[in-house]
Each structure stands twice: as C-alpha cells, then as structure tokens.
Amino acid sequence: MAALVIAEHDQLTIRAATLNTVTAALACDAEVHVLVIGHQAQGAAQAASQIAGVKKVLLADAAHHAHMLAENAAAQILALAADYDYILAPATAMGKNVLPRVAAQLDVAQISDITKVVSKDTFERPIYAGNAIATVQSIDAKKLITVRTTNFDAAATSGGAASIDTITASADAGTSQFVSVELSQSDRPELTAAKIIVSGGRGLGSGEQYQQVMEPLADKLGAAMGASRAAVDAGYVPNDYQVGQTGKIVAPALYVAVGISGAIQHLAGMKDSKVIVAINKDPEAPIFSVADYGLVADLFTAVPELVKELG
Amino acid sequence: MKALVAVKRVVDYNVKVRVKSDQTGVDIANVKMSMNPFDEIAVEEAVRLKEAGVVTEIVAVSCGVTQCQETLRTAMAIGADRAILVESDADLQPLAVAKILKALVDKESPSLIILGKQAIDDDSNQTGQMLAALLNRPQATFASKVQVANGQVSVTREVDGGLETIALQLPAVITTDLRLNEPRYVTLPNIMKAKKKQLDTVKPEDLGVDVSPRLKTIQVNEPPKRSAGVMVPDVKTLVEKLKNEAKVI
C-alpha cells in the first residue's frame, strides 16, 4: 500500500504546498504517489514527476476537472482510494475543501492540519488556534490527512523520475459549476504565503494612517500587509487583512507587528512566525512577550525611520 | 425555502485556554462559552436571506451538552425561527456531527444548509464538507457572498489568492467565511422573544446515528514556548539585528 498526495497546481506548475505535503507523506509511507486532477495539466504532472521521493504520478485530465470543484475532485480521489492507506492534501483552500468530502464518503475521520507525523497512525495537530497541541491517534483503516505546510520542509523539485499514468477521469457530478475567478491584482505576496508580513493595529489611528505608515514599509520589504482584529473592527482595512484566530493563520520568516497590543486572538494567528518584531509605545503590551525584537517607540516616527534605515 | 443552520457552543474567542496538567485536554470548566464566531455569521446570513424574502423558515441546530440550549437561544434571538438540540455528552467529532445533521436534513428537507467554516475549538474545518458528501449534494465552502436565484445559489468563495464564484444546484451546503457579513447584536426584546420560540430536544440514538469517536486524543500539550526576546534601543539597532543576527532581511 502507499500514500497518495493530492497536488495543488495551476495546470502548468506544481504549487509549493504540494512539496511540503510530499515530505509529510514520505514520513507516513515510503511509497508516495501524486494525483494531479485538472484540465490540460500535463505540465503540472511533468513537474510532479520530478519531485524527489515521488514514485508515480496519476493524471486525471478532463474539462470538468479544470477548477477542482469539490464534487468532481472528491469523486476522482474516491475512485482511487482503495489502493492507498494514506491520502494527504495540503491544508490550503483546495485541500480543506475537497478532502473532508472524500473522508465522509469513505466513512473515516479526517485529521486536519497536522504539524507532525508521530507514527503510522499518530499525529500532532494544533487546536484552539494553536494554544494547545493535540496528539491524536486514528483508529480508521485509512488515514485522510491535511498538512500544515509551514511545518514540513519542501521536497526537492528535481531528482525524481516518476512515471506518469493517465487515468480515467471520473464523471462530472453536474451539481455545481465554476462561474469565475478573481485573483487579487496586488503585487504584494498573498498573506498566508508571504515570507515577510507587516501588520498594523489600532495604534495606527485611522485607515489613512494605516496606508501612509504601513505601505512604504511593505514596499521596502516586499511584504504582505496584515492587521489585527482591532484594526479591522475599527474599519481601517478590510477583514481579509486580519491575522488571528478568526482571521488568517500565518507563519512567515519575519512578522513585524506595528501598534498591535497582542491580544490572544491575534497571537494565535502569528506566533509560529520565525522572527517577530514588535513596535509599540506601551512597554507593557503583551506583544513583547512573544517578540524576538521589541522596540518601545512611537510608531509614527519609528516606522518611517525604519523605512529609511532599510535603504 | 427552508434554511437549516448549524451552531456550536465553544470557548469564547477572548478566553486564553489552559492545558490541563494531566495532559488530557484543555480546561474548559468555568470559562466563558459562546457561539462559534463563524456560526454567528451563518445565522446572520440565513436571517438576511429571510429578510430578503428568499428564505421562509430558519431552523437552528446544535449538537452537544444541555447548555447548548443557550447557544440555540442566541441563534433564535438573532432571528432563527425554531431550534433543535441533539443532546449528547459524548465527544462529538465532525464525522458524527455530519451524520447527525444528515439525519435532520433528511427529516426537515431544507434547501439551504449553512454552517461556519470551522469551529475555533477543534479547528477541524470538516463538518460542512462531510455533510455535503453524506447528502450527496454540492458544497460551497468559505463563502464571502451568497445569492439565491432560479433554483440555484451562486457563492463567491475565498480561495488562496483571490475569490472564486461557483453556482450550485439546490439543495446545497454552504460554509461561511469571515467576510460574508457582520452579525448583528442581539437586542433585549429579541432575547425575550427567543425564549418563547420552539426548542426540541432529540438524542443521537433517536436519529439512529453512531457517534463514537474515530480519533483518539492521546495527549494535549502546551505549544512550545518562544524563547525570550530582546528589547532594542533604536531603529538602527533593530535593522542591524534583523540583517546580521536573525538574517531575515
């Protein structure tokens, strides 16, 4: 038996999340196959076959698979499930959407967002927005797993020589249709995938000041922009900026918290960042308890100065 | 059309949970409990659809201990018409809840089933998708916009890197994301009215659902503590440290 990884891809290339998932899969089982579900996705299948450690790539290519609709993708995975002990997907919007559907159809529990493979049937996963780590054991015969990608190294994109098998595409369920997609036009990296995030809180005072202060810093660092719930609730920025328990969970290499006090709700979303910098004028702010580097200063002078220092 | 909304009673999002010293779980005795924030958004959306004349009746459902009644009363104060509590002291995992909800959907035949995208306690993000699978109906997860027209529901979903719009044939299952709406505050008169609304209680056994857990929690630990950081005196030192010590810029 083997482990099957559901690839996250854009038909032409494999997205990075797939590589981390392959590493997690290899920790479960030595035989790892990758399933590419898509339309005209030969490019993605080629890229998948090069990933180190992958033994076989399965390509299900059909027009109705173009947008990874959950109903069709789940049916495709279900058709293969009998041959695998493990089915893994990255804990991205795609993986979270599709995999629980497969799990229910197989009548097995899903283990969400694993951060560690402890043994063949035991995994670690964060609960309560990362405030506790649960070690869970699955008693189901098949393990369906989504993988928190920031906790596993990326598998090498070369060195593999997997065969590519084109498999029969499952039928179109016909109950849902793709209408349109509107990708963010921003040049900034996507919040959950960014290497550097600069995040502003209520200390910024207004939406205009948020833009004035934070944008030059984000531009200088090539960073994504985030915000605390307080800044979102105050209307400074739309709520897709929100980092926290009820917003986005991020783990960049560098997280710069500006004018953020550090409520639990916010810390839950960013405390796995590699390096945390806090700029706040209140030396008692809880954010300093998780910051690697803290600067007690007025953000309206410190941030422009920081932009200047970064040259 | 009828809408069914699933709500969960969870530890309030403002509470800092503590892991029990025997590592069996998280200490939730005597902490404030509230409706899961994503479920509030789900109830609000159903109420807005009712106000828009699309939905005619809203049934709120919760699974768990007796105190979940409070959560259902809150849902009815927001605007749900009646409620069903599936009472159980067992550790109800997403698959079990999905099976319970399926049994209720089979009975109630709603056209729209709305859930939160995830509960902030177990962070699973599974129940809605599992329910859609068991019902063999289409799903739209992480919804930020919902429009019903001509026997279809068009849903804009928050996906990585942007927004995707899909159209589903009814009945369908929708899970809510943060951006969908801003839930209203419940007013005192509505809380009083909610007390008079119908709340039925059933047991999982009555629905013929086996709720035994499939995932065994071996232990629960505190997350690793971050090592203490340093305070820097000025911006210059900060930049120097980020460049040379942390090497992140």
Side-chain angles (χ1 to χ4, degrees), chain A residues 279-305:
Chain A
I279 302 174
N280 202 302
K281 65 177 178 211
D282 174 12
E284 304 295 322
I287 189 80
F288 288 121
S289 69
V290 299
D292 298 278
Y293 301 107
L295 175 63
V296 179
D298 180 9
L299 68 93
F300 293 106
T301 52
V303 175
E305 205 189 323

Side-chain angles (χ1 to χ4, degrees), chain B residues 23-241:
Chain B
Q23 298 181 329
T24 54
V26 162
D27 192 2
I28 55 164
N30 306 317
V31 303
K32 188 184 175 207
M33 306 291 280
S34 305
M35 187 189 296
N36 180 41
F38 293 104
D39 303 347
E40 272 187 75
I41 296 172
V43 178
E44 174 69 32
E45 193 64 19
V47 174
R48 287 186 190 191
L49 287 168
K50 192 180 173 194
E51 287 165 349
V54 174
V55 164
T56 48
E57 190 192 23
I58 303 167
V59 183
V61 178
S62 192
C63 306
V65 294
T66 317
Q67 291 90 325
C68 295
Q69 283 185 11
E70 296 159 22
T71 314
L72 289 169
R73 292 286 173 205
T74 306
M76 291 191 283
I78 299 172
D81 295 293
R82 60 187 172 90
I84 303 170
L85 169 64
V86 182
E87 197 177 352
S88 168
D89 292 329
D91 164 27
L92 296 176
Q93 295 182 347
L95 185 59
V97 175
K99 286 177 179 176
I100 290 171
L101 294 175
K102 180 192 184 288
L104 291 175
V105 169
D106 288 344
K107 257 189 194 167
E108 298 278 344
S109 319
S111 299
L112 270 182
I113 303 130
I114 313 178
L115 302 87
K117 78 163 176 184
Q118 73 184 66
I120 60 165
D121 51 1
D122 64 14
D123 286 336
S124 291
N125 195 332
Q126 299 173 4
T127 309
Q129 296 89 313
M130 287 181 153
L131 174 60
L134 296 174
L135 293 168
N136 196 22
R137 295 306 310 167
Q139 69 186 49
T141 49
F142 326 137
S144 61
K145 195 173 166 198
V146 174
Q147 282 175 308
V148 181
N150 310 326
Q152 280 203 333
V153 58
S154 150
V155 181
T156 303
R157 305 176 56 229
E158 302 214 352
V159 294
D160 299 323
L163 299 169
E164 176 190 89
T165 303
I166 56 174
L168 312 178
Q169 283 172 21
L170 297 173
V173 177
I174 296 169
T175 75
T176 62
D177 214 322
L178 269 188
R179 246 211 285 198
L180 183 56
N181 61 47
E182 185 135 343
R184 68 195 66 187
Y185 288 104
V186 296
T187 59
L188 188 61
N190 284 342
I191 292 172
M192 301 311 288
K193 265 186 234 160
K195 288 187 179 164
K196 297 203 181 74
K197 290 183 180 174
Q198 182 189 347
L199 194 160
D200 298 318
T201 302
V202 292
K203 302 262 182 206
E205 307 80 86
D206 304 337
L207 300 168
V209 176
D210 170 20
V211 295
S212 48
R214 305 290 189 80
L215 286 182
K216 216 166 88 189
T217 300
I218 311 280
Q219 58 175 21
V220 175
N221 292 304
E222 292 272 354
K225 288 258 182 299
R226 290 187 74 92
S227 50
V230 293
M231 299 303 281
V232 293
D234 51 36
V235 170
K236 222 181 169 65
T237 320
L238 175 62
V239 172
E240 191 270 322
K241 290 212 180 264

Side-chain angles (χ1 to χ4, degrees), chain A:
Chain A
M1 296 289 257
L4 183 68
V5 170
I6 315 305
E8 171 108 28
H9 65 90
D10 61 4
Q11 321 298 341
L12 300 170
T13 57
I14 289 287
R15 294 225 173 95
T18 312
L19 305 172
N20 311 90
T21 310
V22 165
T23 303
L26 285 164
C28 296
D29 199 303
E31 176 94 8
V32 170
H33 299 175
V34 172
L35 171 63
V36 176
I37 300 172
H39 183 47
Q40 294 169 350
Q42 195 67 33
Q46 277 294 343
S49 70
Q50 308 294 311
I51 301 171
V54 174
K55 291 267 164 59
K56 189 153 94 175
V57 173
L58 305 168
L59 173 61
D61 207 307
H64 62 267
H65 277 330
H67 302 285
M68 205 75 183
L69 288 168
E71 298 73 25
N72 294 335
Q76 187 71 59
I77 299 164
L78 195 64
L80 298 167
D83 296 335
Y84 295 93
D85 287 329
Y86 297 90
I87 302 177
L88 304 96
T92 55
M94 181 283 287
K96 289 174 181 173
N97 187 38
V98 173
L99 212 63
R101 201 171 167 106
V102 184
Q105 285 166 325
L106 291 167
D107 195 30
V108 305
Q110 179 192 282
I111 311 138
S112 292
D113 240 353
I114 64 158
T115 48
K116 191 175 168 187
V117 178
V118 178
S119 71
K120 291 270 166 205
D121 61 357
T122 307
F123 309 89
E124 279 185 13
R125 60 177 302 263
I127 53 174
Y128 290 89
N131 286 310
I133 308 292
T135 307
V136 294
Q137 184 178 28
S138 164
I139 59 165
D140 289 314
K142 280 187 200 304
K143 323 287 183 222
L144 271 81
I145 297 167
T146 61
V147 176
R148 179 167 289 192
T149 53
T150 47
N151 285 72
F152 294 88
D153 295 334
T157 51
S158 61
S163 58
I164 300 174
D165 290 6
T166 303
I167 57 168
T168 313
S170 59
D172 185 356
T175 48
S176 60
Q177 284 91 41
F178 170 82
V179 177
S180 63
V181 66
E182 185 186 321
L183 294 176
S184 313
Q185 289 307 312
S186 158
D187 294 334
R188 294 188 202 293
E190 213 261 314
L191 198 53
T192 49
K195 291 254 184 310
I196 301 180
I197 294 172
V198 297
S199 206
R202 196 155 41 191
L204 285 152
S206 73
E208 293 75 50
Q209 293 182 70
Y210 176 95
Q211 294 302 336
Q212 265 169 32
V213 173
M214 301 301 288
E215 247 178 17
L217 182 60
D219 286 341
K220 189 64 81 184
L221 292 167
M225 289 166 77
S228 67
R229 180 170 180 145
V232 171
D233 285 351
Y236 303 172
V237 289
N239 60 3
D240 53 333
Y241 278 55
Q242 187 180 321
V243 172
Q245 184 167 13
T246 51
K248 294 191 164 116
I249 309 242
V250 299
L254 174 62
Y255 188 90
V256 185
V258 177
I260 292 176
S261 64
I264 310 152
Q265 124 81 29
H266 185 73
L267 300 184
M270 45 67 83
K271 66 181 168 42
D272 292 330
S273 306
K274 190 160 158 270
V275 175
I276 297 172
V277 171
I279 302 174
N280 202 302
K281 65 177 178 211
D282 174 12
E284 304 295 322
I287 189 80
F288 288 121
S289 69
V290 299
D292 298 278
Y293 301 107
L295 175 63
V296 179
D298 180 9
L299 68 93
F300 293 106
T301 52
V303 175
E305 205 189 323
L306 178 57
V307 174
K308 230 168 84 195
E309 269 310 311
L310 290 165

